[in-house]
Amino acid sequence: MIQRQAFFLTAEKGQRFCIFTPSLQQPARAAVLYLHPFAEELNKSRRMVALQVRALAAAGFDVLQIDLFGCGDSSGDFADANWADWLADGQLALDWLRENSRGRLWLWGVRCGALLASDIARRQGSETSLLFWQPVLSGANVVRDFLRLGVAGELMSGQGKEKLSDMRSRLAAGRTIEVAGYGLSAAMADQLSSVSLACGSDGRSKSVFWLDIGSATQLSPPPAAKAALEQLQAAGTAVRYRAMPGAPFWQTSEIELVPALIGETVALMTGSENA
């Protein structure tokens, strides 16, 4: 039976809520740090992530989940968060894993969490393996999509017709943009806009497992993703890409599951550890 441990880690800015799910096999194959998506995508992904964590624990992996500053049950307000805070949180969690687990370290990022995983890996003194679920290719895309969501929300509510350019002007003036209850600060928007998956393409991460969700007829990487994959490979990173049909669970109105994604993740990771 899987025994989860919930606790708080003390950070420079308050407490970070964590859940540690130990491997059912001892010793564990490896240790995994999960880094969640941005804003409401975190909540939309919870069910899929919980099922994946259980599957990984059953397959022999220790898994640590952390709510970043301003997210979930951790200290702080989302509007006060910045990229440096989240990098520090990731390092805090990695340090805890190194002390409490054994074996190779994996960073598992979903959507914007993949950007964070890539940036954290680049800063490590030792190699880490990366698992991406539907990664966002750049922080600029995160900001763009967040603002577009705000524009769409205003149009649907009939309360205004603010344009994307107007929102960008407000950020440029140092103001915070609020969308669906989440505040995006000018500082976070600026820092995010400088981050891309290429940040991790310096050879520190020797293995990247990139899993996408697509339609049944489009299971090859789209052009932008293909270019990012080629950048990683050019830097000496071994990249394995998989795409499978399924619903974009991180944004659907109803909770959606993609069982094939869970099975493929376990197969890839256990195969890598057995190699």
Side-chain angles (χ1 to χ4, degrees):
M1 182 177 179
I2 295 175
Q3 299 290 333
R4 302 195 308 166
Q5 305 168 21
F7 59 95
F8 285 91
L9 288 176
T10 300
E12 185 175 341
K13 297 180 179 179
Q15 303 290 307
R16 301 293 178 271
F17 180 71
C18 299
I19 298 176
F20 179 62
T21 306
S23 165
L24 290 181
Q25 304 174 22
Q26 293 299 327
R29 293 174 183 269
V32 182
L33 172 62
Y34 167 66
L35 298 165
H36 61 69
F38 190 82
E40 186 59 20
E41 289 188 0
L42 182 162
N43 293 321
K44 297 287 187 180
S45 303
R46 285 189 187 279
R47 181 60 178 161
M48 272 293 293
V49 169
L51 292 173
Q52 185 66 74
V53 169
R54 293 176 191 172
L56 286 173
F61 294 85
D62 290 336
V63 185
L64 178 64
Q65 300 167 254
I66 183 171
D67 286 350
L68 302 169
F69 176 83
C71 302
D73 292 314
S74 287
S75 301
D77 294 325
F78 190 87
D80 296 327
N82 61 58
W83 194 249
D85 292 330
W86 290 359
L87 285 171
D89 290 347
Q91 188 61 58
L92 179 69
L94 271 182
D95 290 344
W96 187 92
L97 264 182
R98 287 192 175 102
E99 293 178 3
N100 293 276
S101 187
R102 295 182 179 180
R104 181 162 57 159
L105 288 173
W106 286 78
L107 294 174
W108 166 29
V110 177
R111 303 284 292 149
C112 185
L115 282 176
L116 186 61
S118 177
D119 206 2
I120 290 171
R122 181 175 63 86
R123 301 163 189 267
Q124 298 305 301
S126 56
E127 292 178 12
T128 55
S129 296
L130 294 171
L131 169 65
F132 296 158
W133 272 14
Q134 199 72 31
V136 183
L137 301 183
S138 71
N141 290 347
V142 176
V143 174
R144 179 202 63 199
D145 292 345
F146 186 81
L147 298 184
R148 284 178 175 173
L149 183 62
V151 171
E154 289 206 356
L155 289 174
M156 290 181 66
S157 68
Q159 296 178 355
K161 295 183 179 180
E162 188 170 22
K163 297 179 181 178
L164 196 62
S165 58
D166 296 332
M167 286 191 166
R168 291 192 181 278
S169 295
R170 288 167 59 192
L171 286 174
R175 299 171 63 186
T176 295
I177 300 292
E178 184 170 319
V179 174
Y182 294 91
L184 174 66
S185 70
M188 175 64 96
D190 184 60
Q191 293 168 11
L192 264 175
S193 296
S194 68
V195 179
S196 72
L197 285 185
C199 287
S201 61
D202 62 354
R204 286 286 172 82
S205 302
K206 293 298 183 183
S207 300
V208 172
F209 294 83
W210 181 323
L211 303 181
D212 274 351
I213 302 299
S215 67
T217 58
Q218 285 188 321
L219 299 181
S220 58
K226 185 177 180 180
L229 288 163
E230 289 172 350
Q231 273 189 297
L232 291 169
Q233 290 170 334
T237 302
V239 183
R240 297 182 69 179
Y241 178 88
R242 296 283 190 279
M244 59 211 68
F249 57 85
W250 58 91
Q251 65 182 21
T252 53
S253 56
E254 301 295 329
I255 299 300
E256 297 282 354
L257 301 180
V258 187
L261 179 59
I262 296 171
E264 187 69 18
T265 296
V266 171
L268 285 171
M269 292 179 66
T270 54
S272 175
E273 291 301 321
N274 291 335

